[in-house]
Amino acid sequence: MFNEAEAPQPPKVLTTPLEIAANLRSLLESHDPLIITFHERSQRFQSYVVEVDREGNRLALDEMIPRDGERYLQNGEPFRVEGFHDGVRIAWECNTPLSIVEADGHRCYRGTLPTEVAYHQRRNAFRAALKLTQLVDVALDGDKLKGNGTLRGKLLDISATGCKLRFEGNVEERLQLGQVYEKFATGAPLGLSQVEVELRHLHFEERINATFAGVRFHNLNGQMQRKVETFVYQLQREARRFDKDDY
């Protein structure tokens, strides 16, 4: 049984400028990636919040990756923005035109703060972190993976719905946010194979020369789902035992 704090919370709609600005500022300060989708198009684009000004009722988003999305923005096409901060989904619709500006040598898109923001706290998936000495090997491949060869890295944490991965060096060019990769596998003791995953987060950390990726499991079959749940449960038990040892 989940305790109340871990139970899934129903989505809320934030409508006050104070709440909206505070949540957008959390995306800004944590440099959480955003996924932008235009209503009539299937392609997804990555951006970031780069400015939140409640007094001036102003919001600015970073240049889209890939930059093709700018054409749709210039056409005035409405789009949806979705980000995740500490397990909370923060999303809004943008139906008003944004202006393309250069600020401090960086290209960005400036407009008004949204009047409504969806806030969905999803605590139903316990996320278990692996100890540095027990990181599991992972391999990512598939028809949509750019470049040659399988991407190999490490599993950093996992929940029933997805996991966080680390790859050495900058591999951002090989991956596309929102894309589903059909060949994800992990080494022992988890032992997943031929699992489909959707890329939800992507960030290269220059300081340590590593790329971090967040993926969501896609169409998991029963056998693989049980493997994931068993592994998460084991990590959860170990974490609780470790906490008890501290006291």
Side-chain angles (χ1 to χ4, degrees), residues 153-168:
K154 296 289 185 182
L155 179 72
L156 298 183
D157 69 28
I158 186 169
S159 74
T161 56
C163 54
K164 185 176 180 181
L165 315 173
R166 186 188 74 206
F167 301 102
E168 292 304 314

Side-chain angles (χ1 to χ4, degrees), residues 12 14 21 39 49 56 75 79 83 92 94 112 115 134 155 168 172 189 214 216 231-232 241:
K12 290 191 285 188
L14 309 178
H39 292 191
V49 176
N75 292 343
F79 59 89
W92 66 96
C94 188
T112 56
T115 53
Q134 298 175 336
L155 179 72
E168 292 304 314
E172 284 185 316
R216 183 178 293 174
F231 188 63
V232 171
R241 193 165 65 239

Side-chain angles (χ1 to χ4, degrees), residues 18-60:
L18 183 66
E19 284 183 309
I20 288 170
N23 280 279
L24 295 181
R25 197 167 284 117
S26 68
L27 293 172
L28 165 69
E29 290 169 354
S30 297
H31 201 60
D32 294 314
L34 308 175
I35 294 175
I36 291 178
T37 45
F38 289 87
H39 292 191
E40 304 298 321
R41 305 183 185 277
S42 58
Q43 191 177 7
R44 298 181 179 204
F45 303 90
Q46 179 174 313
S47 183
Y48 295 90
V49 176
V50 292
E51 182 187 2
V52 178
D53 179 0
R54 185 165 69 90
E55 289 70 28
N57 191 34
R58 200 164 64 182
L59 171 71

Side-chain angles (χ1 to χ4, degrees), residues 31-229:
H31 201 60
D32 294 314
L34 308 175
I35 294 175
I36 291 178
T37 45
F38 289 87
H39 292 191
E40 304 298 321
R41 305 183 185 277
S42 58
Q43 191 177 7
R44 298 181 179 204
F45 303 90
Q46 179 174 313
S47 183
Y48 295 90
V49 176
V50 292
E51 182 187 2
V52 178
D53 179 0
R54 185 165 69 90
E55 289 70 28
N57 191 34
R58 200 164 64 182
L59 171 71
L61 302 177
D62 198 14
E63 181 179 357
M64 272 185 265
I65 305 169
R67 196 161 152 184
D68 311 357
E70 211 169 274
R71 293 203 311 272
Y72 313 139
L73 189 141
Q74 286 173 316
N75 292 343
E77 296 184 28
F79 59 89
R80 183 172 186 77
V81 186
E82 181 183 47
F84 288 85
H85 179 73
D86 287 344
V88 177
R89 177 177 171 271
I90 299 170
W92 66 96
E93 301 283 343
C94 188
N95 299 308
T96 55
L98 300 184
S99 55
I100 300 172
V101 298
E102 295 279 341
D104 300 324
H106 296 287
R107 199 174 183 83
C108 64
Y109 316 122
R110 192 169 276 158
T112 56
L113 287 170
T115 53
E116 285 189 354
V117 166
Y119 177 99
H120 191 187
Q121 189 163 10
R122 300 189 290 190
R123 288 289 176 84
N124 53 326
F126 174 85
R127 186 167 284 275
L130 281 74
K131 294 175 185 173
L132 286 174
T133 54
Q134 298 175 336
L135 297 186
V136 172
D137 291 327
V138 300
L140 183 66
D141 208 339
D143 295 340
K144 305 290 186 183
L145 184 66
K146 299 171 189 171
N148 295 320
T150 303
L151 268 181
R152 301 189 183 278
K154 296 289 185 182
L155 179 72
L156 298 183
D157 69 28
I158 186 169
S159 74
T161 56
C163 54
K164 185 176 180 181
L165 315 173
R166 186 188 74 206
F167 301 102
E168 292 304 314
N170 188 350
V171 299
E172 284 185 316
E173 294 297 319
R174 298 193 61 189
L175 297 163
Q176 171 67 48
L177 269 180
Q179 190 62 260
V180 174
Y181 299 94
E182 70 276 17
K183 295 179 181 176
F184 176 70
T186 69
L190 179 52
L192 298 181
S193 60
Q194 299 296 310
V195 169
E196 292 187 355
V197 292
E198 180 189 359
L199 184 64
R200 302 293 297 179
H201 303 286
L202 186 63
H203 175 62
F204 172 61
E205 188 65 58
E206 190 173 358
R207 186 171 48 86
I208 56 173
N209 192 34
T211 303
F212 296 91
V215 299
R216 183 178 293 174
F217 298 125
H218 194 74
N219 298 331
L220 266 190
N221 65 35
Q223 182 191 9
M224 293 297 144
Q225 183 74 58
R226 284 191 294 276
K227 280 191 173 189
V228 169
E229 288 172 355

